[in-house]
Amino acid sequence: MGKPDIKTREDVYQLVSQFYAKVREDEVLGPFFNNTIKDWDAHLEHLTTFWESSLFLKTKYYGNPLEVHVKVDKSYNHSITELHFGLWLNLWYETIEALFEGDYANNAKRRARKMGTFLYLKIFEARNTP
């Protein structure tokens, strides 16, 4: 029997929380996240809402991920690179594949890949904007 697909907020929370547990332990990504995020419980809820909105097309998320990532990049002296996004995406895929399969799981991979590309390009662009 196969794995379930992502279908509920609880599924999204499971994905997000297990994924960020890996991120926090990662020797390259961990410092960025662990030194930036002060309230992990609130952050996981916020990211669950983001991914729930993205996957299920619900309009509940009211944040600005681009602004946040540009600010983090600036606070780390513009040191975020494509390596960081690649590591992040690999951990995301790994977590999805360990837990889920199906249309929503595949969509979560596609959306993360597009979002990572967009964020990286926009971070790089922001470095060159006065």
Side-chain angles (χ1 to χ4, degrees), residues 1 13 15 18 22 28-29 31 40 46 58-59 63 65 76 83 88 119-120:
M1 186 165 188
Y13 182 81
L15 169 60
Q18 288 191 27
K22 292 177 185 181
V28 176
L29 297 177
W40 273 98
H46 191 63
K58 295 182 178 183
T59 55
Y76 281 90
L83 169 71
W88 180 90
L119 286 174
Y120 178 68

Side-chain angles (χ1 to χ4, degrees), residues 54-123:
S54 179
L55 292 173
F56 305 137
L57 305 177
K58 295 182 178 183
T59 55
K60 290 164 54 171
Y61 182 79
Y62 300 105
N64 187 337
L66 177 57
E67 181 181 305
V68 171
H69 287 84
V70 166
K71 212 178 276 187
V72 170
D73 180 58
K74 187 175 182 180
S75 73
Y76 281 90
N77 298 314
H78 305 296
S79 61
I80 294 176
T81 69
E82 66 276 3
L83 169 71
H84 298 101
F85 282 96
L87 292 170
W88 180 90
L89 192 60
N90 285 339
L91 289 174
W92 182 251
Y93 275 37
E94 178 184 294
T95 308
I96 290 171
E97 289 168 1
L99 299 171
F100 302 104
E101 62 185 25
D103 291 340
Y104 284 102
N106 290 332
N107 194 28
K109 291 178 189 177
R110 277 191 304 276
R111 287 182 181 268
R113 187 176 62 248
K114 286 180 180 180
M115 182 182 64
T117 301
F118 172 80
L119 286 174
Y120 178 68
L121 291 173
K122 289 299 186 179
I123 284 171

Side-chain angles (χ1 to χ4, degrees), residues 19-31 33-34 91:
F19 166 69
Y20 278 100
K22 292 177 185 181
V23 167
R24 293 177 76 182
E25 294 296 317
D26 187 87
E27 58 188 52
V28 176
L29 297 177
F33 288 88
N34 294 322
L91 289 174

